[in-house]
Amino acid sequence: MRANVTEYSLVAPPTLHEALRQLASDPELTPIAGGTELMVALSAGRLAQKTLLSLNHLRELRFIDAHDDTIILGAGATFTDIRRHEAIAEDLPLLTQAASWTGSIANQNRGTLGGNIVNASPAADTPPALLAYGATLTLISAAGTRSIPYSMFHLGYKQTALAPGELLYSVSVPRRWPGYRSYIRKVGTRNAQAISKVAIAALARVENSTIRDLRIGTASLRETPTRCGATERALTGQVLTPATLSTLVAAARAALGTEARPIDDIRSTARYRAAVAANLVEEFLGQLAG
Ligand SMILES: Cc1cc2nc3c(=O)[nH]c(=O)nc-3n(C[C@H](O)[C@H](O)[C@H](O)COP(=O)(O)OP(=O)(O)OC[C@H]3O[C@@H](n4cnc5c(N)ncnc54)[C@H](O)[C@@H]3O)c2cc1C
């Protein structure tokens, strides 16, 4: 059933400080940034919360600051802001690519990094890259700020570490990856404007044919965006050459099988997702070996 919009109200505090104060006094207020998730839910009559707290106009949340070792993105940075940022394109290409294939241009102009993270879809586009890069989140409330590794933010399906009264403030991403090679693929129904059936973003440092570090972030392989620790451990320290490639691919497939928990849903089947994820890891290993 379509929603009756007159049942909803929206408050738009002029500053972040005032937004946090209002959220502290009424934790039921629902933050809305670009609205590309929430307005779809509202329009479809699926948005239970009736009072929205607008963040969209808050300049304090919309920034990208490039420092020597990190790039810090405000939660209100849009996909377009990310896609067009030169330092991100230079040092964090996985993030640029993820932002570039999120939805349509209209989505990218409006949708925010904060909304993508807090919406907590296991299929969202930026989380695999943020997991591979080891991003840290800063959360903010009227009581102050705290930082947590992004890998600890998703507690379960659509459950996050945000406490009542807290907002996501920023995302800090280490930008120096000397000697790393990167890989990212999103597999969906179409090449553009499709939610992923499965996606992988990965980084690897290979020295003297030995895998020294491997970081694999995935979407749609579990109930939350997930880093594949078992697969990483199975491959790290191994010698990767064209001669050992098939052995390592077998080890990767076995390890991935122990940690992937894909589901059947309207977009795909668990079997397809598991098979494609293993193929993508194999593709990355093949590139590294080559
Ligand atoms: C047609 C269409 C195509 C899409 N395609 C893709 C796609 O390809 N890939 C993809 O990943 N997503 C896609 N999306 C989903 C959506 O565009 C993204 O998830 C986007 O990043 C949401 O950001 P937003 O600012 O619009 O979030 P909103 O809708 O404003 O909010 C989403 C959630 O985040 C919360 N929130 C937002 N900001 C904060 C904050 N700072 N602190 C605390 N909570 C916050 C809100 O309360 C809400 O729960 C698509 C959506 C549509 C409608």
Side-chain angles (χ1 to χ4, degrees), residues 69-73 92 95 130 133-136 171-175:
D69 293 327
T70 55
I71 296 181
I72 303 178
L73 302 95
L92 306 173
L95 196 52
L130 297 175
Y133 285 129
T136 300
V171 183
S172 174
V173 190
R175 68 184 288 194

Side-chain angles (χ1 to χ4, degrees), residues 30-38 40 55 75 79 101-103 107 111-112 114-116 118-119 124-125 162 167-168 186 194-195:
T30 298
I32 180 167
T36 60
E37 292 281 358
L38 288 185
V40 174
L55 307 178
F79 296 109
W101 62 33
T102 299
N107 277 100
T112 65
N116 204 232
V118 179
N119 187 57
D125 277 334
L162 269 185
L167 295 174
L168 175 59
K186 169 179 176 174
I195 304 292

Side-chain angles (χ1 to χ4, degrees), residues 1-268:
M1 198 171 66
R2 310 278 303 173
N4 177 358
V5 285
T6 61
E7 292 174 1
Y8 292 82
S9 60
L10 179 124
V11 292
T15 62
L16 179 58
H17 178 79
E18 178 58 17
L20 293 170
R21 195 194 63 72
Q22 292 195 18
L23 198 57
S25 62
D26 181 3
E28 294 300 308
L29 278 175
T30 298
I32 180 167
T36 60
E37 292 281 358
L38 288 185
M39 290 309 292
V40 174
L42 187 153
S43 172
R46 287 187 280 105
L47 189 62
Q49 304 95 325
K50 297 284 193 255
T51 313
L52 304 174
L53 173 74
S54 177
L55 307 178
N56 192 45
H57 58 293
L58 295 177
R59 303 298 305 173
E60 297 116 299
L61 291 177
R62 188 170 177 181
F63 63 89
I64 299 177
D65 291 337
H67 300 275
D68 279 351
D69 293 327
T70 55
I71 296 181
I72 303 178
L73 302 95
T78 65
F79 296 109
T80 300
D81 295 338
I82 296 170
R83 192 164 50 75
R84 289 182 176 165
H85 200 277
E86 285 182 14
I88 295 178
E90 181 81 10
D91 290 343
L92 306 173
L94 300 178
L95 196 52
T96 303
Q97 181 60 68
S100 306
W101 62 33
T102 299
S104 62
I105 296 296
N107 277 100
Q108 293 171 14
N109 287 342
R110 185 89 193 171
T112 65
L113 179 63
N116 204 232
I117 292 171
V118 179
N119 187 57
S121 163
D125 277 334
T126 60
L130 297 175
L131 286 168
Y133 285 129
T136 300
L137 305 186
T138 296
L139 312 180
I140 189 166
S141 70
T145 61
R146 66 183 173 114
S147 293
I148 61 167
Y150 174 54
S151 58
M152 295 173 64
F153 183 70
H154 298 292
L155 305 179
Y157 180 70
K158 294 270 182 179
Q159 291 179 301
T160 73
L162 269 185
E166 260 181 341
L167 295 174
L168 175 59
Y169 174 65
S170 67
V171 183
S172 174
V173 190
R175 68 184 288 194
R176 303 292 174 205
W177 298 95
Y180 280 79
R181 290 171 64 188
S182 61
Y183 173 87
I184 186 163
R185 274 208 54 189
K186 169 179 176 174
V187 176
T189 306
R190 299 171 297 277
N191 277 340
Q193 296 202 46
I195 304 292
S196 69
K197 294 170 188 272
V198 62
I200 285 187
L203 291 167
R205 183 164 53 84
V206 180
E207 287 168 356
N208 300 324
S209 300
T210 300
I211 300 176
R212 295 293 179 201
D213 191 22
L214 182 62
R215 316 164 69 89
I216 305 173
T218 59
S220 297
L221 268 198
R222 293 181 73 106
E223 61 182 359
T224 64
T226 303
R227 197 159 153 194
C228 293
T231 309
E232 293 171 0
R233 285 190 294 279
L235 298 172
T236 303
Q238 301 296 321
V239 173
L240 177 59
T241 64
T244 65
L245 178 60
S246 60
T247 307
L248 261 61
V249 165
R253 286 180 174 276
L256 195 62
T258 66
E259 59 188 346
R261 303 267 184 283
I263 59 165
D264 294 327
D265 67 9
I266 51 163
R267 286 190 203 104
S268 190

